[in-house]
Amino acid sequence: MEEVTEGTIFIDRRGCVPTFRRKRQREHGVPELRRLATHDGARQHCLPIAAEEGATETDVERIGAKKWPDLTENRVNLLDRYPAQLSGGQQQRVALARAIAVDPKVFLMDEPLSNLDAKLRVHMRTELKAIHHQTHATTIFVTHDQSEAMSMADRIVVMREGRIEQVGTPEEVYEQSANMFVASFIGLPPTNFFQVLVEQQDTSLRLRHAQFTLPLTDEQAAGLKEYTKDRLVVGVRPENILLTTEEQALFSVDALVVEPQGSHQIIAFRIDGDLIKVVAPAYPKVRAGERIHLTFDSHRIRFFDPDTEQAIEVTRHATATTSG
């Protein structure tokens, strides 16, 4: 673990020094790859650490029955196996069970699902979130998988090169991304960015792209009145670019690639040299090369400073018209 260089860490309102000593500890860690002793069975891996908290083997089974719901496909058999008889994913689940057996105040999880196959990883997200609701233990979960963060977290800390970019609920980091890095990192496909010029026309302000013009409402214009640069970046999530009729379109393009996803389809196209992706309903089906007509959900667009890449907070109400 990292040394504490500044400040104090509190667990259960008590200052502490993080440690992995197994006596009366209030925190327990699950690293990316847990190495299990080859001479001990899975049950023995869960028992000693629980025994230090006064638990017996019967207690381990009781704890498991209450806190390991469907953690393995066949819990009894896995507990009797040796590490050499377990797959990497099964070993990782034993490591999780070992941590749960302590009933700690804090779980420290360093990519605990990274060695699981895709189907089991999705299943384990639900199981871990259910366990969290049962134990009420604070859980610090490190992951590079933004879908894991979005689906499991109460609060997300987005970091880049050791610096915190944003802290917030999943909804906040997704809908109110603090900067272009967060907007592009959270969400799949990521946010689309459009470089626009800021133009003053009579008493109104509008944003001009090579393919469309986006006039601003009074609220948005008021929010941007302190913005003095002549360029701006408009960020639009893929699901907020909408298929529409030619008469109502903000712009029209030819579909480059279509990726069917069953419940929806992802449509890719190029505009002004940029690759843009749209998440659209599964029907009507769009084919590669087909002419499509698009507009924005004007209530869900974001503005960013192109130099600092920081979000510009304004009231998000805009109307869109095609440029003439």
Side-chain angles (χ1 to χ4, degrees):
M1 296 184 69
E2 296 290 340
E3 294 286 341
V4 177
T5 56
E6 186 177 351
T8 304
I9 297 175
F10 288 88
I11 297 177
D12 200 21
R13 299 182 180 179
R14 294 168 58 188
C16 72
V17 177
T19 177
F20 276 104
R21 290 178 302 172
R22 293 180 179 149
K23 186 159 181 145
R24 299 295 176 190
Q25 65 182 26
R26 287 166 287 157
E27 73 279 347
H28 195 87
V30 181
E32 180 176 352
L33 180 59
R34 184 80 188 193
R35 297 192 180 279
L36 304 178
T38 58
H39 58 279
D40 285 336
R43 180 178 283 101
Q44 282 67 45
H45 277 280
C46 297
L47 177 61
I49 194 167
E52 293 184 8
E53 300 296 320
T56 65
E57 186 165 344
T58 301
D59 292 330
V60 172
E61 297 290 352
R62 177 178 52 78
I63 291 171
K66 295 174 67 175
K67 296 183 179 178
W68 303 339
D70 298 325
L71 197 58
T72 66
E73 295 177 4
N74 192 336
R75 184 171 59 248
V76 175
N77 285 347
L78 279 185
L79 286 176
D80 290 328
R81 293 179 183 174
Y82 288 88
Q85 299 172 306
L86 301 176
S87 67
Q90 290 170 337
Q91 290 192 36
Q92 194 70 350
R93 281 181 278 170
V94 171
L96 287 168
R98 180 185 177 90
I100 293 167
V102 186
D103 199 19
K105 296 293 184 182
V106 177
F107 287 113
L108 308 178
M109 298 191 178
D110 183 5
E111 301 197 64
L113 308 183
S114 61
N115 293 298
L116 307 184
D117 61 62
K119 182 178 179 180
L120 184 56
R121 181 182 298 183
V122 173
H123 174 74
M124 285 299 296
R125 289 179 195 169
T126 303
E127 292 297 336
L128 286 176
K129 196 161 188 175
I131 289 169
H132 170 70
H133 289 161
Q134 291 173 20
T135 62
H136 302 290
T138 299
T139 302
I140 300 175
F141 190 106
V142 179
T143 179
H144 287 87
D145 186 334
Q146 52 89 17
S147 60
E148 280 184 8
M150 290 291 293
S151 62
M152 297 179 66
D154 296 313
R155 292 179 67 79
I156 296 175
V157 179
V158 182
M159 301 186 69
R160 174 169 59 168
E161 297 179 354
R163 299 182 65 87
I164 295 176
E165 296 287 338
Q166 185 172 0
V167 180
T169 65
E171 293 78 12
E172 288 170 345
V173 298
Y174 187 82
E175 298 176 4
Q176 302 170 39
S177 301
N179 53 49
M180 293 175 65
F181 171 78
V182 175
S184 61
F185 182 73
I186 298 293
L188 194 65
T191 297
N192 300 294
F193 297 112
F194 300 86
Q195 301 280 342
V196 299
L197 296 176
V198 182
E199 296 182 347
Q200 187 78 34
Q201 188 178 46
D202 299 326
T203 58
S204 65
L205 198 65
R206 65 180 185 176
L207 306 179
R208 180 179 290 276
H209 185 270
Q211 301 296 326
F212 58 84
T213 297
L214 185 67
L216 301 176
T217 64
D218 291 341
E219 292 85 356
Q220 286 181 318
L224 288 173
K225 69 178 182 179
E226 301 297 328
Y227 186 77
T228 59
K229 299 178 182 179
D230 60 0
R231 295 180 302 114
L232 195 67
V233 176
V234 175
V236 189
R237 292 282 181 188
E239 67 273 19
N240 296 328
I241 302 179
L242 310 175
L243 293 172
T244 187
T245 63
E246 185 174 3
E247 293 73 23
Q248 296 178 319
L250 178 62
F251 59 91
S252 300
V253 294
D254 295 330
L256 178 65
V257 173
V258 179
E259 305 171 22
Q261 302 292 307
S263 61
H264 61 279
Q265 56 187 329
I266 299 175
I267 307 168
F269 61 90
R270 292 193 181 277
I271 183 170
D272 198 29
D274 295 324
L275 182 66
I276 305 298
K277 289 192 174 184
V278 176
V279 174
Y283 297 94
K285 295 291 186 184
V286 175
R287 307 297 177 190
E290 181 179 341
R291 192 71 172 174
I292 54 176
H293 311 291
L294 302 165
T295 190
F296 296 157
D297 180 345
S298 57
H299 295 278
R300 296 186 177 276
I301 60 177
R302 294 283 284 169
F303 302 109
F304 299 93
D305 185 315
D307 298 317
T308 66
E309 298 189 351
Q310 296 300 304
I312 303 170
E313 296 299 337
V314 298
T315 304
R316 291 175 291 168
H317 296 284
T319 57
T321 61
T322 55
S323 56

